[in-house]
PDB file of all heavy atoms in Angstrom:
ATOM      1  N   THR A 117     -16.472  15.564 -12.752  1.00 97.00           N
ATOM      2  CA  THR A 117     -16.775  16.507 -11.662  1.00 97.00           C
ATOM      3  C   THR A 117     -16.433  15.887 -10.306  1.00 97.00           C
ATOM      4  O   THR A 117     -16.350  14.659 -10.175  1.00 97.00           O
ATOM      5  CB  THR A 117     -18.271  16.895 -11.645  1.00 97.00           C
ATOM      6  OG1 THR A 117     -19.044  15.732 -11.280  1.00 97.00           O
ATOM      7  CG2 THR A 117     -18.729  17.435 -12.988  1.00 97.00           C
ATOM      8  N   GLU A 118     -16.263  16.721  -9.314  1.00 95.00           N
ATOM      9  CA  GLU A 118     -16.005  16.243  -7.952  1.00 95.00           C
ATOM     10  C   GLU A 118     -17.176  15.395  -7.450  1.00 95.00           C
ATOM     11  O   GLU A 118     -16.973  14.406  -6.751  1.00 95.00           O
ATOM     12  CB  GLU A 118     -15.752  17.420  -7.002  1.00 95.00           C
ATOM     13  CG  GLU A 118     -14.501  18.212  -7.306  1.00 95.00           C
ATOM     14  CD  GLU A 118     -13.195  17.465  -7.040  1.00 95.00           C
ATOM     15  OE1 GLU A 118     -13.181  16.501  -6.247  1.00 95.00           O
ATOM     16  OE2 GLU A 118     -12.180  17.865  -7.630  1.00 95.00           O
ATOM     17  N   GLU A 119     -18.398  15.776  -7.816  1.00 96.00           N
ATOM     18  CA  GLU A 119     -19.581  15.021  -7.400  1.00 96.00           C
ATOM     19  C   GLU A 119     -19.543  13.612  -7.975  1.00 96.00           C
ATOM     20  O   GLU A 119     -19.875  12.641  -7.291  1.00 96.00           O
ATOM     21  CB  GLU A 119     -20.868  15.742  -7.835  1.00 96.00           C
ATOM     22  CG  GLU A 119     -21.104  17.052  -7.120  1.00 96.00           C
ATOM     23  CD  GLU A 119     -20.255  18.213  -7.661  1.00 96.00           C
ATOM     24  OE1 GLU A 119     -19.773  18.141  -8.810  1.00 96.00           O
ATOM     25  OE2 GLU A 119     -20.051  19.184  -6.909  1.00 96.00           O
ATOM     26  N   GLU A 120     -19.154  13.490  -9.249  1.00 97.00           N
ATOM     27  CA  GLU A 120     -19.038  12.162  -9.866  1.00 97.00           C
ATOM     28  C   GLU A 120     -17.919  11.357  -9.199  1.00 97.00           C
ATOM     29  O   GLU A 120     -18.056  10.151  -9.009  1.00 97.00           O
ATOM     30  CB  GLU A 120     -18.759  12.285 -11.370  1.00 97.00           C
ATOM     31  CG  GLU A 120     -19.934  12.798 -12.152  1.00 97.00           C
ATOM     32  CD  GLU A 120     -19.593  13.115 -13.602  1.00 97.00           C
ATOM     33  OE1 GLU A 120     -18.409  13.370 -13.921  1.00 97.00           O
ATOM     34  OE2 GLU A 120     -20.532  13.109 -14.412  1.00 97.00           O
ATOM     35  N   ALA A 121     -16.837  12.025  -8.835  1.00 95.00           N
ATOM     36  CA  ALA A 121     -15.725  11.348  -8.159  1.00 95.00           C
ATOM     37  C   ALA A 121     -16.208  10.718  -6.851  1.00 95.00           C
ATOM     38  O   ALA A 121     -15.883   9.562  -6.554  1.00 95.00           O
ATOM     39  CB  ALA A 121     -14.586  12.331  -7.900  1.00 95.00           C
ATOM     40  N   ILE A 122     -16.985  11.440  -6.094  1.00 93.00           N
ATOM     41  CA  ILE A 122     -17.513  10.920  -4.833  1.00 93.00           C
ATOM     42  C   ILE A 122     -18.500   9.793  -5.090  1.00 93.00           C
ATOM     43  O   ILE A 122     -18.415   8.728  -4.476  1.00 93.00           O
ATOM     44  CB  ILE A 122     -18.164  12.056  -4.012  1.00 93.00           C
ATOM     45  CG1 ILE A 122     -17.082  13.051  -3.566  1.00 93.00           C
ATOM     46  CG2 ILE A 122     -18.932  11.502  -2.816  1.00 93.00           C
ATOM     47  CD1 ILE A 122     -17.625  14.364  -3.050  1.00 93.00           C
ATOM     48  N   ARG A 123     -19.422  10.009  -6.003  1.00 94.00           N
ATOM     49  CA  ARG A 123     -20.464   9.016  -6.291  1.00 94.00           C
ATOM     50  C   ARG A 123     -19.877   7.689  -6.768  1.00 94.00           C
ATOM     51  O   ARG A 123     -20.366   6.618  -6.419  1.00 94.00           O
ATOM     52  CB  ARG A 123     -21.456   9.571  -7.318  1.00 94.00           C
ATOM     53  CG  ARG A 123     -22.609   8.619  -7.613  1.00 94.00           C
ATOM     54  CD  ARG A 123     -23.727   9.224  -8.460  1.00 94.00           C
ATOM     55  NE  ARG A 123     -23.277   9.691  -9.753  1.00 94.00           N
ATOM     56  CZ  ARG A 123     -23.221  10.984 -10.132  1.00 94.00           C
ATOM     57  NH1 ARG A 123     -23.595  11.930  -9.287  1.00 94.00           N
ATOM     58  NH2 ARG A 123     -22.821  11.319 -11.329  1.00 94.00           N
ATOM     59  N   HIS A 124     -18.795   7.731  -7.540  1.00 93.00           N
ATOM     60  CA  HIS A 124     -18.224   6.514  -8.131  1.00 93.00           C
ATOM     61  C   HIS A 124     -16.993   5.992  -7.390  1.00 93.00           C
ATOM     62  O   HIS A 124     -16.323   5.087  -7.873  1.00 93.00           O
ATOM     63  CB  HIS A 124     -17.869   6.758  -9.599  1.00 93.00           C
ATOM     64  CG  HIS A 124     -19.050   6.937 -10.478  1.00 93.00           C
ATOM     65  ND1 HIS A 124     -19.876   5.900 -10.847  1.00 93.00           N
ATOM     66  CD2 HIS A 124     -19.567   8.049 -11.061  1.00 93.00           C
ATOM     67  CE1 HIS A 124     -20.837   6.348 -11.623  1.00 93.00           C
ATOM     68  NE2 HIS A 124     -20.684   7.652 -11.769  1.00 93.00           N
ATOM     69  N   GLN A 125     -16.674   6.558  -6.222  1.00 88.00           N
ATOM     70  CA  GLN A 125     -15.520   6.134  -5.420  1.00 88.00           C
ATOM     71  C   GLN A 125     -14.232   6.199  -6.242  1.00 88.00           C
ATOM     72  O   GLN A 125     -13.467   5.250  -6.347  1.00 88.00           O
ATOM     73  CB  GLN A 125     -15.736   4.725  -4.861  1.00 88.00           C
ATOM     74  CG  GLN A 125     -16.938   4.635  -3.974  1.00 88.00           C
ATOM     75  CD  GLN A 125     -17.191   3.232  -3.469  1.00 88.00           C
ATOM     76  OE1 GLN A 125     -16.550   2.283  -3.857  1.00 88.00           O
ATOM     77  NE2 GLN A 125     -18.154   3.119  -2.580  1.00 88.00           N
ATOM     78  N   PHE A 126     -13.992   7.382  -6.785  1.00 93.00           N
ATOM     79  CA  PHE A 126     -12.883   7.643  -7.692  1.00 93.00           C
ATOM     80  C   PHE A 126     -11.667   8.140  -6.927  1.00 93.00           C
ATOM     81  O   PHE A 126     -11.677   9.211  -6.344  1.00 93.00           O
ATOM     82  CB  PHE A 126     -13.345   8.692  -8.719  1.00 93.00           C
ATOM     83  CG  PHE A 126     -12.356   9.049  -9.779  1.00 93.00           C
ATOM     84  CD1 PHE A 126     -12.024   8.145 -10.771  1.00 93.00           C
ATOM     85  CD2 PHE A 126     -11.783  10.307  -9.808  1.00 93.00           C
ATOM     86  CE1 PHE A 126     -11.134   8.492 -11.776  1.00 93.00           C
ATOM     87  CE2 PHE A 126     -10.896  10.664 -10.809  1.00 93.00           C
ATOM     88  CZ  PHE A 126     -10.570   9.753 -11.790  1.00 93.00           C
ATOM     89  N   HIS A 127     -10.595   7.353  -6.940  1.00 92.00           N
ATOM     90  CA  HIS A 127      -9.370   7.690  -6.205  1.00 92.00           C
ATOM     91  C   HIS A 127      -8.342   8.382  -7.078  1.00 92.00           C
ATOM     92  O   HIS A 127      -7.221   8.603  -6.636  1.00 92.00           O
ATOM     93  CB  HIS A 127      -8.750   6.427  -5.618  1.00 92.00           C
ATOM     94  CG  HIS A 127      -9.609   5.779  -4.595  1.00 92.00           C
ATOM     95  ND1 HIS A 127      -9.801   6.294  -3.332  1.00 92.00           N
ATOM     96  CD2 HIS A 127     -10.363   4.652  -4.644  1.00 92.00           C
ATOM     97  CE1 HIS A 127     -10.610   5.516  -2.654  1.00 92.00           C
ATOM     98  NE2 HIS A 127     -10.969   4.520  -3.426  1.00 92.00           N
ATOM     99  N   GLY A 128      -8.685   8.677  -8.295  1.00 94.00           N
ATOM    100  CA  GLY A 128      -7.760   9.316  -9.221  1.00 94.00           C
ATOM    101  C   GLY A 128      -7.770   8.570 -10.535  1.00 94.00           C
ATOM    102  O   GLY A 128      -8.235   7.437 -10.635  1.00 94.00           O
ATOM    103  N   SER A 129      -7.250   9.223 -11.542  1.00 96.00           N
ATOM    104  CA  SER A 129      -7.320   8.679 -12.897  1.00 96.00           C
ATOM    105  C   SER A 129      -6.044   7.958 -13.290  1.00 96.00           C
ATOM    106  O   SER A 129      -4.953   8.521 -13.178  1.00 96.00           O
ATOM    107  CB  SER A 129      -7.571   9.825 -13.878  1.00 96.00           C
ATOM    108  OG  SER A 129      -7.852   9.339 -15.154  1.00 96.00           O
ATOM    109  N   PRO A 130      -6.216   6.688 -13.705  1.00 97.00           N
ATOM    110  CA  PRO A 130      -7.425   5.861 -13.762  1.00 97.00           C
ATOM    111  C   PRO A 130      -7.627   5.048 -12.479  1.00 97.00           C
ATOM    112  O   PRO A 130      -6.677   4.738 -11.780  1.00 97.00           O
ATOM    113  CB  PRO A 130      -7.144   4.937 -14.938  1.00 97.00           C
ATOM    114  CG  PRO A 130      -5.666   4.738 -14.911  1.00 97.00           C
ATOM    115  CD  PRO A 130      -5.089   6.035 -14.390  1.00 97.00           C
ATOM    116  N   THR A 131      -8.874   4.711 -12.200  1.00 96.00           N
ATOM    117  CA  THR A 131      -9.239   3.851 -11.082  1.00 96.00           C
ATOM    118  C   THR A 131      -9.928   2.611 -11.634  1.00 96.00           C
ATOM    119  O   THR A 131     -10.763   2.715 -12.530  1.00 96.00           O
ATOM    120  CB  THR A 131     -10.186   4.588 -10.102  1.00 96.00           C
ATOM    121  OG1 THR A 131      -9.432   5.588  -9.406  1.00 96.00           O
ATOM    122  CG2 THR A 131     -10.810   3.653  -9.095  1.00 96.00           C
ATOM    123  N   ILE A 132      -9.563   1.460 -11.090  1.00 96.00           N
ATOM    124  CA  ILE A 132     -10.202   0.197 -11.481  1.00 96.00           C
ATOM    125  C   ILE A 132     -10.842  -0.402 -10.243  1.00 96.00           C
ATOM    126  O   ILE A 132     -10.180  -0.571  -9.214  1.00 96.00           O
ATOM    127  CB  ILE A 132      -9.180  -0.785 -12.093  1.00 96.00           C
ATOM    128  CG1 ILE A 132      -8.530  -0.177 -13.341  1.00 96.00           C
ATOM    129  CG2 ILE A 132      -9.863  -2.123 -12.426  1.00 96.00           C
ATOM    130  CD1 ILE A 132      -7.367  -0.968 -13.897  1.00 96.00           C
ATOM    131  N   LEU A 133     -12.129  -0.692 -10.352  1.00 93.00           N
ATOM    132  CA  LEU A 133     -12.876  -1.316  -9.264  1.00 93.00           C
ATOM    133  C   LEU A 133     -13.298  -2.714  -9.690  1.00 93.00           C
ATOM    134  O   LEU A 133     -13.837  -2.896 -10.786  1.00 93.00           O
ATOM    135  CB  LEU A 133     -14.119  -0.498  -8.922  1.00 93.00           C
ATOM    136  CG  LEU A 133     -13.916   0.980  -8.577  1.00 93.00           C
ATOM    137  CD1 LEU A 133     -15.272   1.667  -8.378  1.00 93.00           C
ATOM    138  CD2 LEU A 133     -13.050   1.136  -7.338  1.00 93.00           C
ATOM    139  N   VAL A 134     -13.050  -3.706  -8.847  1.00 91.00           N
ATOM    140  CA  VAL A 134     -13.491  -5.080  -9.074  1.00 91.00           C
ATOM    141  C   VAL A 134     -14.590  -5.357  -8.063  1.00 91.00           C
ATOM    142  O   VAL A 134     -14.342  -5.365  -6.863  1.00 91.00           O
ATOM    143  CB  VAL A 134     -12.328  -6.084  -8.928  1.00 91.00           C
ATOM    144  CG1 VAL A 134     -12.832  -7.514  -9.086  1.00 91.00           C
ATOM    145  CG2 VAL A 134     -11.222  -5.787  -9.936  1.00 91.00           C
ATOM    146  N   ASP A 135     -15.794  -5.523  -8.563  1.00 87.00           N
ATOM    147  CA  ASP A 135     -16.979  -5.662  -7.709  1.00 87.00           C
ATOM    148  C   ASP A 135     -17.044  -4.553  -6.661  1.00 87.00           C
ATOM    149  O   ASP A 135     -17.329  -4.784  -5.493  1.00 87.00           O
ATOM    150  CB  ASP A 135     -17.036  -7.042  -7.062  1.00 87.00           C
ATOM    151  CG  ASP A 135     -17.571  -8.097  -8.011  1.00 87.00           C
ATOM    152  OD1 ASP A 135     -18.087  -7.737  -9.091  1.00 87.00           O
ATOM    153  OD2 ASP A 135     -17.481  -9.285  -7.680  1.00 87.00           O
ATOM    154  N   GLY A 136     -16.732  -3.332  -7.108  1.00 86.00           N
ATOM    155  CA  GLY A 136     -16.850  -2.168  -6.253  1.00 86.00           C
ATOM    156  C   GLY A 136     -15.667  -1.923  -5.330  1.00 86.00           C
ATOM    157  O   GLY A 136     -15.672  -0.970  -4.554  1.00 86.00           O
ATOM    158  N   VAL A 137     -14.640  -2.780  -5.385  1.00 87.00           N
ATOM    159  CA  VAL A 137     -13.470  -2.652  -4.516  1.00 87.00           C
ATOM    160  C   VAL A 137     -12.282  -2.183  -5.345  1.00 87.00           C
ATOM    161  O   VAL A 137     -11.963  -2.762  -6.379  1.00 87.00           O
ATOM    162  CB  VAL A 137     -13.138  -4.002  -3.832  1.00 87.00           C
ATOM    163  CG1 VAL A 137     -11.909  -3.873  -2.949  1.00 87.00           C
ATOM    164  CG2 VAL A 137     -14.327  -4.490  -3.015  1.00 87.00           C
ATOM    165  N   ASP A 138     -11.608  -1.135  -4.877  1.00 90.00           N
ATOM    166  CA  ASP A 138     -10.434  -0.616  -5.564  1.00 90.00           C
ATOM    167  C   ASP A 138      -9.325  -1.656  -5.595  1.00 90.00           C
ATOM    168  O   ASP A 138      -9.190  -2.463  -4.674  1.00 90.00           O
ATOM    169  CB  ASP A 138      -9.944   0.642  -4.828  1.00 90.00           C
ATOM    170  CG  ASP A 138      -8.859   1.369  -5.595  1.00 90.00           C
ATOM    171  OD1 ASP A 138      -9.198   2.247  -6.408  1.00 90.00           O
ATOM    172  OD2 ASP A 138      -7.672   1.043  -5.391  1.00 90.00           O
ATOM    173  N   LEU A 139      -8.525  -1.649  -6.662  1.00 90.00           N
ATOM    174  CA  LEU A 139      -7.411  -2.591  -6.782  1.00 90.00           C
ATOM    175  C   LEU A 139      -6.496  -2.581  -5.569  1.00 90.00           C
ATOM    176  O   LEU A 139      -5.952  -3.605  -5.186  1.00 90.00           O
ATOM    177  CB  LEU A 139      -6.547  -2.257  -8.015  1.00 90.00           C
ATOM    178  CG  LEU A 139      -7.128  -2.489  -9.388  1.00 90.00           C
ATOM    179  CD1 LEU A 139      -6.083  -2.143 -10.449  1.00 90.00           C
ATOM    180  CD2 LEU A 139      -7.603  -3.915  -9.553  1.00 90.00           C
ATOM    181  N   GLU A 140      -6.274  -1.410  -4.991  1.00 88.00           N
ATOM    182  CA  GLU A 140      -5.372  -1.302  -3.858  1.00 88.00           C
ATOM    183  C   GLU A 140      -6.077  -1.520  -2.520  1.00 88.00           C
ATOM    184  O   GLU A 140      -5.482  -1.330  -1.466  1.00 88.00           O
ATOM    185  CB  GLU A 140      -4.644   0.044  -3.882  1.00 88.00           C
ATOM    186  CG  GLU A 140      -3.711   0.134  -5.076  1.00 88.00           C
ATOM    187  CD  GLU A 140      -2.857   1.381  -5.099  1.00 88.00           C
ATOM    188  OE1 GLU A 140      -3.423   2.489  -5.017  1.00 88.00           O
ATOM    189  OE2 GLU A 140      -1.639   1.242  -5.208  1.00 88.00           O
ATOM    190  N   GLY A 141      -7.333  -1.931  -2.563  1.00 80.00           N
ATOM    191  CA  GLY A 141      -8.057  -2.287  -1.357  1.00 80.00           C
ATOM    192  C   GLY A 141      -8.748  -1.120  -0.679  1.00 80.00           C
ATOM    193  O   GLY A 141      -8.671   0.025  -1.110  1.00 80.00           O
ATOM    194  N   ALA A 142      -9.395  -1.426   0.411  1.00 67.00           N
ATOM    195  CA  ALA A 142     -10.198  -0.435   1.133  1.00 67.00           C
ATOM    196  C   ALA A 142      -9.350   0.631   1.806  1.00 67.00           C
ATOM    197  O   ALA A 142      -9.822   1.738   2.067  1.00 67.00           O
ATOM    198  CB  ALA A 142     -11.066  -1.133   2.160  1.00 67.00           C
ATOM    199  N   SER A 143      -8.099   0.348   2.097  1.00 64.00           N
ATOM    200  CA  SER A 143      -7.265   1.317   2.813  1.00 64.00           C
ATOM    201  C   SER A 143      -7.036   2.592   2.008  1.00 64.00           C
ATOM    202  O   SER A 143      -6.764   3.646   2.572  1.00 64.00           O
ATOM    203  CB  SER A 143      -5.916   0.702   3.177  1.00 64.00           C
ATOM    204  OG  SER A 143      -5.185   0.386   2.008  1.00 64.00           O
ATOM    205  N   ILE A 144      -7.174   2.524   0.696  1.00 70.00           N
ATOM    206  CA  ILE A 144      -6.965   3.710  -0.137  1.00 70.00           C
ATOM    207  C   ILE A 144      -8.047   4.756   0.111  1.00 70.00           C
ATOM    208  O   ILE A 144      -7.848   5.928  -0.144  1.00 70.00           O
ATOM    209  CB  ILE A 144      -6.874   3.351  -1.622  1.00 70.00           C
ATOM    210  CG1 ILE A 144      -6.438   4.561  -2.429  1.00 70.00           C
ATOM    211  CG2 ILE A 144      -8.175   2.860  -2.161  1.00 70.00           C
ATOM    212  CD1 ILE A 144      -5.356   4.325  -3.376  1.00 70.00           C
ATOM    213  N   ALA A 145      -9.193   4.360   0.650  1.00 62.00           N
ATOM    214  CA  ALA A 145     -10.313   5.270   0.880  1.00 62.00           C
ATOM    215  C   ALA A 145      -9.941   6.428   1.800  1.00 62.00           C
ATOM    216  O   ALA A 145     -10.558   7.482   1.747  1.00 62.00           O
ATOM    217  CB  ALA A 145     -11.509   4.513   1.437  1.00 62.00           C
ATOM    218  N   ARG A 146      -8.926   6.250   2.612  1.00 64.00           N
ATOM    219  CA  ARG A 146      -8.567   7.332   3.532  1.00 64.00           C
ATOM    220  C   ARG A 146      -8.103   8.585   2.802  1.00 64.00           C
ATOM    221  O   ARG A 146      -8.101   9.662   3.351  1.00 64.00           O
ATOM    222  CB  ARG A 146      -7.503   6.864   4.504  1.00 64.00           C
ATOM    223  CG  ARG A 146      -6.213   6.558   3.816  1.00 64.00           C
ATOM    224  CD  ARG A 146      -5.200   5.955   4.707  1.00 64.00           C
ATOM    225  NE  ARG A 146      -4.272   5.333   3.772  1.00 64.00           N
ATOM    226  CZ  ARG A 146      -3.250   4.644   4.085  1.00 64.00           C
ATOM    227  NH1 ARG A 146      -2.963   4.435   5.317  1.00 64.00           N
ATOM    228  NH2 ARG A 146      -2.477   4.124   3.172  1.00 64.00           N
ATOM    229  N   GLU A 147      -7.676   8.449   1.553  1.00 71.00           N
ATOM    230  CA  GLU A 147      -7.241   9.604   0.771  1.00 71.00           C
ATOM    231  C   GLU A 147      -8.416  10.358   0.151  1.00 71.00           C
ATOM    232  O   GLU A 147      -8.239  11.439  -0.378  1.00 71.00           O
ATOM    233  CB  GLU A 147      -6.254   9.171  -0.309  1.00 71.00           C
ATOM    234  CG  GLU A 147      -4.961   8.633   0.264  1.00 71.00           C
ATOM    235  CD  GLU A 147      -3.976   8.249  -0.809  1.00 71.00           C
ATOM    236  OE1 GLU A 147      -4.080   8.769  -1.937  1.00 71.00           O
ATOM    237  OE2 GLU A 147      -3.109   7.419  -0.516  1.00 71.00           O
ATOM    238  N   GLY A 148      -9.588   9.780   0.196  1.00 81.00           N
ATOM    239  CA  GLY A 148     -10.778  10.440  -0.307  1.00 81.00           C
ATOM    240  C   GLY A 148     -10.949  10.322  -1.807  1.00 81.00           C
ATOM    241  O   GLY A 148     -10.111   9.796  -2.512  1.00 81.00           O
ATOM    242  N   TYR A 149     -12.091  10.817  -2.258  1.00 89.00           N
ATOM    243  CA  TYR A 149     -12.461  10.745  -3.663  1.00 89.00           C
ATOM    244  C   TYR A 149     -12.419  12.148  -4.248  1.00 89.00           C
ATOM    245  O   TYR A 149     -13.091  13.038  -3.754  1.00 89.00           O
ATOM    246  CB  TYR A 149     -13.871  10.168  -3.815  1.00 89.00           C
ATOM    247  CG  TYR A 149     -14.085   8.872  -3.077  1.00 89.00           C
ATOM    248  CD1 TYR A 149     -15.085   8.753  -2.126  1.00 89.00           C
ATOM    249  CD2 TYR A 149     -13.278   7.770  -3.324  1.00 89.00           C
ATOM    250  CE1 TYR A 149     -15.294   7.563  -1.454  1.00 89.00           C
ATOM    251  CE2 TYR A 149     -13.471   6.581  -2.656  1.00 89.00           C
ATOM    252  CZ  TYR A 149     -14.492   6.474  -1.717  1.00 89.00           C
ATOM    253  OH  TYR A 149     -14.689   5.302  -1.052  1.00 89.00           O
ATOM    254  N   ARG A 150     -11.622  12.335  -5.309  1.00 90.00           N
ATOM    255  CA  ARG A 150     -11.574  13.643  -5.960  1.00 90.00           C
ATOM    256  C   ARG A 150     -10.897  13.527  -7.321  1.00 90.00           C
ATOM    257  O   ARG A 150     -10.257  12.531  -7.622  1.00 90.00           O
ATOM    258  CB  ARG A 150     -10.883  14.665  -5.089  1.00 90.00           C
ATOM    259  CG  ARG A 150      -9.444  14.382  -4.783  1.00 90.00           C
ATOM    260  CD  ARG A 150      -8.877  15.495  -3.895  1.00 90.00           C
ATOM    261  NE  ARG A 150      -7.449  15.448  -3.898  1.00 90.00           N
ATOM    262  CZ  ARG A 150      -6.708  14.946  -2.931  1.00 90.00           C
ATOM    263  NH1 ARG A 150      -7.290  14.461  -1.866  1.00 90.00           N
ATOM    264  NH2 ARG A 150      -5.400  14.932  -3.022  1.00 90.00           N
ATOM    265  N   LEU A 151     -11.045  14.579  -8.102  1.00 94.00           N
ATOM    266  CA  LEU A 151     -10.409  14.640  -9.417  1.00 94.00           C
ATOM    267  C   LEU A 151      -8.910  14.845  -9.219  1.00 94.00           C
ATOM    268  O   LEU A 151      -8.491  15.827  -8.593  1.00 94.00           O
ATOM    269  CB  LEU A 151     -10.986  15.785 -10.244  1.00 94.00           C
ATOM    270  CG  LEU A 151     -12.442  15.650 -10.669  1.00 94.00           C
ATOM    271  CD1 LEU A 151     -12.870  16.905 -11.422  1.00 94.00           C
ATOM    272  CD2 LEU A 151     -12.643  14.424 -11.530  1.00 94.00           C
ATOM    273  N   ARG A 152      -8.126  13.913  -9.712  1.00 94.00           N
ATOM    274  CA  ARG A 152      -6.665  13.999  -9.633  1.00 94.00           C
ATOM    275  C   ARG A 152      -6.068  12.846 -10.435  1.00 94.00           C
ATOM    276  O   ARG A 152      -6.753  11.897 -10.793  1.00 94.00           O
ATOM    277  CB  ARG A 152      -6.181  13.926  -8.194  1.00 94.00           C
ATOM    278  CG  ARG A 152      -6.491  12.589  -7.559  1.00 94.00           C
ATOM    279  CD  ARG A 152      -5.921  12.473  -6.172  1.00 94.00           C
ATOM    280  NE  ARG A 152      -6.462  11.266  -5.558  1.00 94.00           N
ATOM    281  CZ  ARG A 152      -6.728  11.127  -4.297  1.00 94.00           C
ATOM    282  NH1 ARG A 152      -6.517  12.120  -3.477  1.00 94.00           N
ATOM    283  NH2 ARG A 152      -7.199  10.007  -3.823  1.00 94.00           N
ATOM    284  N   CYS A 153      -4.773  12.918 -10.660  1.00 94.00           N
ATOM    285  CA  CYS A 153      -4.058  11.817 -11.293  1.00 94.00           C
ATOM    286  C   CYS A 153      -3.816  10.739 -10.243  1.00 94.00           C
ATOM    287  O   CYS A 153      -3.659  11.040  -9.060  1.00 94.00           O
ATOM    288  CB  CYS A 153      -2.729  12.283 -11.861  1.00 94.00           C
ATOM    289  SG  CYS A 153      -2.906  13.411 -13.250  1.00 94.00           S
ATOM    290  N   ARG A 154      -3.779   9.519 -10.689  1.00 92.00           N
ATOM    291  CA  ARG A 154      -3.563   8.379  -9.796  1.00 92.00           C
ATOM    292  C   ARG A 154      -2.109   7.945  -9.852  1.00 92.00           C
ATOM    293  O   ARG A 154      -1.504   7.906 -10.917  1.00 92.00           O
ATOM    294  CB  ARG A 154      -4.468   7.227 -10.256  1.00 92.00           C
ATOM    295  CG  ARG A 154      -4.332   5.919  -9.502  1.00 92.00           C
ATOM    296  CD  ARG A 154      -5.102   5.982  -8.205  1.00 92.00           C
ATOM    297  NE  ARG A 154      -4.991   4.753  -7.455  1.00 92.00           N
ATOM    298  CZ  ARG A 154      -5.999   3.921  -7.225  1.00 92.00           C
ATOM    299  NH1 ARG A 154      -7.184   4.151  -7.737  1.00 92.00           N
ATOM    300  NH2 ARG A 154      -5.823   2.844  -6.493  1.00 92.00           N
ATOM    301  N   VAL A 155      -1.549   7.600  -8.715  1.00 90.00           N
ATOM    302  CA  VAL A 155      -0.228   6.991  -8.635  1.00 90.00           C
ATOM    303  C   VAL A 155      -0.403   5.686  -7.872  1.00 90.00           C
ATOM    304  O   VAL A 155      -0.849   5.689  -6.717  1.00 90.00           O
ATOM    305  CB  VAL A 155       0.789   7.898  -7.911  1.00 90.00           C
ATOM    306  CG1 VAL A 155       2.112   7.175  -7.727  1.00 90.00           C
ATOM    307  CG2 VAL A 155       0.976   9.203  -8.666  1.00 90.00           C
ATOM    308  N   TYR A 156      -0.086   4.571  -8.521  1.00 90.00           N
ATOM    309  CA  TYR A 156      -0.229   3.261  -7.896  1.00 90.00           C
ATOM    310  C   TYR A 156       1.026   2.904  -7.110  1.00 90.00           C
ATOM    311  O   TYR A 156       2.137   3.141  -7.574  1.00 90.00           O
ATOM    312  CB  TYR A 156      -0.506   2.187  -8.956  1.00 90.00           C
ATOM    313  CG  TYR A 156      -1.921   2.225  -9.450  1.00 90.00           C
ATOM    314  CD1 TYR A 156      -2.275   2.984 -10.561  1.00 90.00           C
ATOM    315  CD2 TYR A 156      -2.919   1.527  -8.789  1.00 90.00           C
ATOM    316  CE1 TYR A 156      -3.589   3.035 -11.004  1.00 90.00           C
ATOM    317  CE2 TYR A 156      -4.242   1.575  -9.223  1.00 90.00           C
ATOM    318  CZ  TYR A 156      -4.559   2.325 -10.328  1.00 90.00           C
ATOM    319  OH  TYR A 156      -5.861   2.379 -10.754  1.00 90.00           O
TER     320      TYR A 156
END
């Protein structure tokens, strides 16, 4: 759900967080959290 995406800082599928930080760093947060496919 969109609510889960926001709660878990989900940038798209799949997302990997290391100690709560996205692999691509904090700058990815500007795209927001939502249900979508991920492109690295």
Side-chain angles (χ1 to χ4, degrees):
T117 68
E118 295 291 338
E119 293 78 21
E120 290 171 336
I122 293 166
R123 183 171 59 248
H124 291 287
Q125 300 177 353
F126 183 70
H127 295 287
S129 189
T131 289
I132 300 171
L133 305 175
V134 177
D135 280 349
V137 179
D138 189 90
L139 291 182
E140 294 186 306
S143 64
I144 189 132
R146 66 186 161 183
E147 295 182 23
Y149 309 122
R150 63 180 196 258
L151 293 177
R152 65 176 170 213
C153 293
R154 177 80 180 247
V155 174
Y156 284 91

